[in-house]
Amino acid sequence: MGNYNCVKTEVYNYIRARTPLVIINSSERERAERLLREIAIEAPCKISYYTDFKQVCTLGGSNSQTANVDDDPLRYIASVFKKNRNSTFAFGDVKRIGDDNIYSREILNILYLAKETNSTLILITADIVWSRLAQFGMLTTLNYPDVDERISQLNNFLSAFQGKYKIEWDSENIRHAATLLRGFSEIQIENILSSALASNKGLLKDHLHELTNQKSRLYGAVSSVQEVHINPALEVSGLDNLKRWLLDKKRIFFASDDELNERDLTTPKGILLAGVPGCGKSFSAKMIAKQWELPLFRFDIGTVYDKWVGESEKKMKEALEFINNVSPCVVWIDEIEKALSVADSGNDTGKRVLGQFLFWLQESNSRVFLVATANNITSLPFELFRKGRFSEIFFIDLPNKNEREAAIRLYAKKSLHIEIDKCEMEKLVNLSNGFSYSDIEYSIKDIAQMALSEGQNIVNFNLLSSKFNEIIPISKNNPEMIRQIRQWGKERAVPASTSEEVIK
């Protein structure tokens, strides 16, 4: 049973029990109104309903206006309760009831009257309710549509335009879209779908990722969290083991709540990527967001720290709330050890901020996939490695022979616009032993810059091999550090690649 049906059952039972006050906490007045109309028809019972625009009408019938209240709706509700016992009256989109004021006290007087006349007052509001009012009744929260409701809304929308526009979405695409649209109201979902349909003259499979492009604009900006643009042509070579793992976890990440609850599961929390600098840790975050068709946000934890007491904790809270609001998404924290190692320096603020982050990482139910990268894994607080905070820890090593060949071929095609034959490729792969992905990219793009200035005809194998020979790779710049990092990765993490190679 979805949230909508649960709330509907609760409200119906409260009316039957003649609870003096029923508070429906919701910002979706139209949806709450529909819920009450269904109760009025199915019960059946008479529910009078007031809004500033519609004035007073009766839900369930023709919904025609029964009274015009221009002066004081509360006085009108009081008169209804005085004249009619066992009445039910709903007030849509109520304001100014969060504290002790003349308006809330007038409602309080109506509740005393409702109790005496065995009547029920239903308030629809998104605001906090004054405690004196709340103690008279029951509160129920109508959350935004759950996944089943979103799937139903999507099916209804697509059915209405099937045949008029080209629509390619199948049941799997609809479920994926329903997951992406988590956290939106019914009206927002309708607007997003209508906008996508109109701008694209249809809804193709490639349009799925557009559904969340506007999501970050719905919430107040947070300086420590920035959306990252992903190049549609992004390709990441190698890391086959990591890619296979991600393919398996994608199905679980987008599974419905019912499927997960049935097996007492939660969505994958994310991964910690440790390894040699320049070997694809940061690119992996972009790769995941692109493959999963999710927005990517970079969370700079270091910027939440503030010299004023309490401000750091406040900024961390705001950042985590923003991330929860824009989920489902991928969140990337680069060089996480630099931001969190402050907690181990005896800094009380750092420890509190770390505590906030770890609690969120462990307990958050939002569909957020965290990708944290670290170069110096030993600087991280040990609490971060507790099972359940990251789904897995991967080690990204220097690229092996096959990965170097794939990287050389990829950059040669994109930047040099050439294909390298098998014999020359084998020589370049051997020359690049010990290179990181960054070393390979730099070497080839340096030649691409020369080709841009001097012409394409300068590009040849001799220039490539000469450039590779000039490079002093990271494995030779600091062999002790690389040896230490690789030893840690072999003992304590899952390799991101399927095979290993001895680096000279």
Side-chain angles (χ1 to χ4, degrees), residues 352-482:
R352 288 193 295 272
V353 168
L354 173 63
Q356 283 179 279
F357 178 72
L358 293 178
F359 181 80
W360 171 80
L361 197 59
Q362 185 78 30
E363 302 297 332
S364 175
N365 292 322
S366 298
R367 298 205 180 210
V368 176
F369 191 83
L370 180 65
V371 181
T373 68
N375 290 325
N376 185 5
I377 202 78
T378 57
S379 298
L380 286 171
F382 73 92
E383 299 98 324
L384 201 62
F385 297 96
R386 173 181 164 184
K387 287 297 182 184
R389 285 180 174 153
F390 285 105
S391 302
E392 194 56 88
I393 300 173
F394 283 95
F395 178 74
I396 299 183
D397 203 348
L398 292 166
N400 59 38
K401 184 176 180 179
N402 292 334
E403 290 172 331
R404 294 199 302 277
E405 178 178 344
I408 292 169
R409 197 175 300 283
L410 176 64
Y411 287 121
K413 182 179 179 181
K414 284 191 168 185
S415 299
L416 301 180
H417 303 153
I418 62 170
E419 294 283 348
I420 302 173
D421 66 39
K422 185 176 180 181
C423 181
E424 291 177 345
M425 177 61 75
E426 188 174 349
K427 293 176 182 178
L428 290 175
V429 168
N430 290 331
L431 284 174
S432 62
N433 189 21
F435 279 31
S436 67
Y437 285 106
S438 295
D439 293 329
I440 294 171
E441 180 184 15
Y442 171 80
S443 303
I444 294 177
K445 288 192 174 180
D446 194 37
I447 295 175
Q449 291 179 21
M450 296 167 60
L452 185 63
S453 330
E454 302 175 33
Q456 179 69 17
N457 60 339
I458 70 165
V459 179
N460 56 52
F461 171 74
N462 290 333
L463 184 58
L464 275 166
S465 58
S466 174
K467 179 60 66 175
F468 275 35
N469 278 316
E470 289 176 10
I471 293 293
I472 302 175
I474 190 171
S475 60
K476 293 182 180 178
N477 265 329
N478 198 335
E480 294 81 11
M481 180 194 74
I482 298 299

Side-chain angles (χ1 to χ4, degrees), residues 185-232:
S185 68
E186 275 191 352
I187 292 175
Q188 288 171 328
I189 292 173
E190 187 80 18
N191 291 340
I192 289 169
L193 291 173
S194 299
S195 176
L197 185 72
S199 60
N200 297 309
K201 303 293 190 296
L203 289 174
L204 309 183
K205 294 181 186 293
D206 293 341
H207 298 149
L208 274 170
H209 68 280
E210 296 180 15
L211 300 182
T212 53
N213 284 349
Q214 303 176 49
K215 194 164 190 178
S216 61
R217 301 184 183 96
L218 298 176
Y219 306 98
V222 176
S223 60
S224 57
V225 183
Q226 299 92 31
E227 188 167 8
V228 178
H229 172 71
I230 303 171
N231 187 342

Side-chain angles (χ1 to χ4, degrees), residues 144 150 177-184 211-212 215-216 218-219 225 253-254 267 294-297 319-331 360 364-369:
Y144 284 153
R150 295 195 297 274
T179 303
L180 293 174
L181 291 168
R182 178 183 181 274
F184 286 111
L211 300 182
T212 53
K215 194 164 190 178
S216 61
L218 298 176
Y219 306 98
V225 183
F253 186 87
F254 288 102
T267 55
L294 292 173
L296 174 65
F297 295 91
L320 296 178
E321 285 179 351
F322 176 85
I323 291 170
N324 286 336
N325 284 335
V326 297
S327 67
C329 62
V330 176
V331 172
W360 171 80
S364 175
N365 292 322
S366 298
R367 298 205 180 210
V368 176
F369 191 83

Side-chain angles (χ1 to χ4, degrees), residues 146-159 174 178 186:
D146 61 21
V147 66
D148 290 332
E149 293 174 66
R150 295 195 297 274
I151 289 174
S152 177
Q153 185 177 357
L154 281 161
N155 281 323
N156 292 337
F157 181 89
L158 297 179
S159 296
I174 290 171
E186 275 191 352

Side-chain angles (χ1 to χ4, degrees), residues 313-341:
E313 295 89 333
K314 179 183 176 184
K315 288 182 178 179
M316 174 59 88
K317 181 175 181 290
E318 290 173 348
L320 296 178
E321 285 179 351
F322 176 85
I323 291 170
N324 286 336
N325 284 335
V326 297
S327 67
C329 62
V330 176
V331 172
W332 166 33
I333 303 178
D334 196 25
E335 297 187 0
I336 191 174
E337 74 272 21
K338 292 182 179 178
L340 295 185
S341 59

